[in-house]
Amino acid sequence: MEEVLQEGKQFRLVDESELPEIIEFLGNYLPESLKFHQTLRTYLKDRVWEFHFYVTKTWPDQAVILHFPGMTKSPNGKLYESFSVFCPCEQLNNLELLTEEDILIDWSQPVYMNFTHVKIMNKLEDLYSNMGVMDKMYGDIYGLVDPDTRCEESATETVFAEDAEMLQLTPEHAQIIHDLYPANHMECVELFEKLIETLPCYGIFSSSGELAAWMVQSYYGAMCSMQTRPEYRRKGYGLILAKYLTNVVRERGYIPFVVIRPENDPSKGLYAKVGFKKYFETVRAILRPHEMSSDAQGGGTEED
């Protein structure tokens, strides 16, 4: 098992006792810190997986924080091969510390970055340009316009067509969800089992008991992996799930949000009906040294 390092050149491992104060600090930068802020809250409250967070040794004067997600299926399965980063957008020059970090991060190899604020990624791309190139995939963060307001419709009061019903998922459903998850090459089945055991994850089941549609709360606080089997579409199941899970997530103390691909107009329309708006653009990427080939697949872990 790979050793967890206590510190690197510019960053140090965060002790769990520090997390509430860091969450409070990140709360000053909402919504741009939303994904990182909710990742920390989920970790502290609902421990889905063993993550590792690092801050600069000069924190909070130079406010850069890293998250190394232990479940990500990076090509070599290394602990420090994949990460995400947050830095206040008015302090982007502090990201130079990240490119100087040669203990936690091996810049001579491809680095896989999870969805990160577009301004941070643009700055990193500038800083990385002398080392390599960045292959990017874009997403949009949509969040509930008023997180204190419940969605009007409650799925518990919904009369489903054809005697369908909504139930909390169980770990036995993890395999089918993983099989149909668009980014399943970057996630393991065990992650979905942990999500289902720990967080609100709901499915709509047909009268015959077949899982027709589903949606889960993820380890980073968002609502994700909404899927409806083709034969069960156009029944309104997606909207029902989105409204219900939005209420559950909000009542559990989280800010409801999703990551949507820019070209996914159906999802944008669905979440507009729930009361979401676009907060900011986000990017996941592979950073490849100039001397490395470019035939690997995209990095990151999440997508709607």
Side-chain angles (χ1 to χ4, degrees):
M1 187 174 180
E2 193 172 358
E3 178 186 2
V4 177
L5 301 176
Q6 293 299 308
E7 64 177 28
K9 182 177 181 180
Q10 303 289 355
F11 293 84
R12 63 172 180 82
L13 185 66
V14 171
D15 186 82
E16 186 169 322
S17 64
E18 300 177 81
L19 291 181
E21 186 175 342
I22 292 175
I23 292 172
E24 183 177 355
F25 177 87
L26 293 175
N28 296 323
Y29 296 96
L30 291 169
E32 66 187 56
S33 66
L34 179 60
K35 182 174 175 292
F36 218 106
H37 181 267
Q38 297 294 283
T39 298
L40 283 163
R41 292 189 70 176
T42 310
Y43 178 76
L44 198 59
K45 180 178 179 180
D46 291 306
R47 196 65 56 90
V48 177
W49 210 273
E50 191 59 39
F51 296 148
H52 308 287
F53 302 97
Y54 290 78
V55 294
T56 54
K57 294 180 180 180
T58 54
W59 176 277
D61 294 332
Q62 292 175 294
V64 183
I65 181 170
L66 308 178
H67 166 220
F68 292 90
M71 92 298 294
T72 302
K73 275 190 173 179
S74 54
N76 300 303
K78 294 180 178 179
L79 180 62
Y80 295 101
E81 194 170 33
S82 173
F83 71 95
S84 58
V85 56
F86 176 76
C87 174
C89 289
E90 67 269 23
Q91 302 176 30
L92 295 179
N93 286 337
N94 288 329
L95 291 172
E96 293 180 7
L97 295 173
L98 184 57
T99 58
E100 296 169 6
E101 179 57 65
D102 57 5
I103 297 176
L104 298 177
I105 304 169
D106 183 358
W107 293 108
S108 70
Q109 298 297 317
V111 175
Y112 299 82
M113 294 198 64
N114 298 321
F115 275 120
T116 298
H117 196 291
V118 66
K119 291 183 179 179
I120 295 173
M121 293 297 273
N122 287 345
K123 180 64 175 180
L124 280 177
E125 187 171 26
D126 290 341
L127 294 170
Y128 186 71
S129 60
N130 65 326
M131 292 188 280
V133 296
M134 182 183 290
D135 295 340
K136 296 180 288 186
M137 177 182 292
Y138 289 87
D140 293 322
I141 298 287
Y142 280 74
L144 194 62
V145 174
D146 184 358
D148 294 327
T149 301
R150 281 183 58 88
C151 297
E152 293 181 1
E153 181 180 344
S154 171
T156 58
E157 301 168 357
T158 300
V159 178
F160 290 98
E162 303 171 0
D163 296 323
E165 62 177 340
M166 185 175 66
L167 300 169
Q168 168 73 24
L169 297 171
T170 61
E172 69 186 39
H173 301 118
Q175 186 66 60
I176 187 172
I177 292 174
H178 180 266
D179 289 346
L180 296 176
Y181 183 58
N184 59 12
H185 62 289
M186 298 303 298
E187 302 284 16
C188 58
V189 175
E190 290 78 13
L191 172 65
F192 285 95
E193 292 173 348
K194 288 285 188 180
L195 291 175
I196 290 170
E197 289 174 353
T198 310
L199 296 172
C201 301
Y202 290 93
I204 294 179
F205 294 81
S206 69
S207 57
S208 63
E210 184 176 34
L211 181 58
W214 56 88
M215 191 175 192
V216 306
Q217 181 183 350
S218 186
Y219 65 87
Y220 53 97
M223 299 146 53
C224 76
S225 191
M226 178 189 284
Q227 294 278 105
T228 302
R229 285 180 164 174
E231 61 268 33
Y232 293 103
R233 290 174 182 166
R234 296 183 177 85
K235 297 179 182 292
Y237 291 166
L239 184 60
I240 291 170
L241 283 167
K243 286 185 174 181
Y244 186 72
L245 195 58
T246 294
N247 285 335
V248 171
V249 167
R250 185 193 61 80
E251 289 167 358
R252 297 185 76 246
Y254 296 103
I255 301 172
F257 77 98
V258 293
V259 183
I260 302 177
R261 293 277 188 86
E263 68 275 11
N264 192 342
D265 291 332
S267 285
K268 292 178 184 179
L270 184 151
Y271 286 104
K273 293 178 183 177
V274 180
F276 284 51
K277 69 173 181 180
K278 180 178 175 179
Y279 281 148
F280 57 86
E281 194 173 34
T282 185
V283 179
R284 73 178 188 181
I286 304 175
L287 283 63
R288 291 194 182 89
H290 288 304
E291 62 272 17
M292 303 290 288
S293 63
S294 59
D295 56 356
Q297 293 191 5
T301 62
E302 317 96 18
E303 64 185 89
D304 189 72

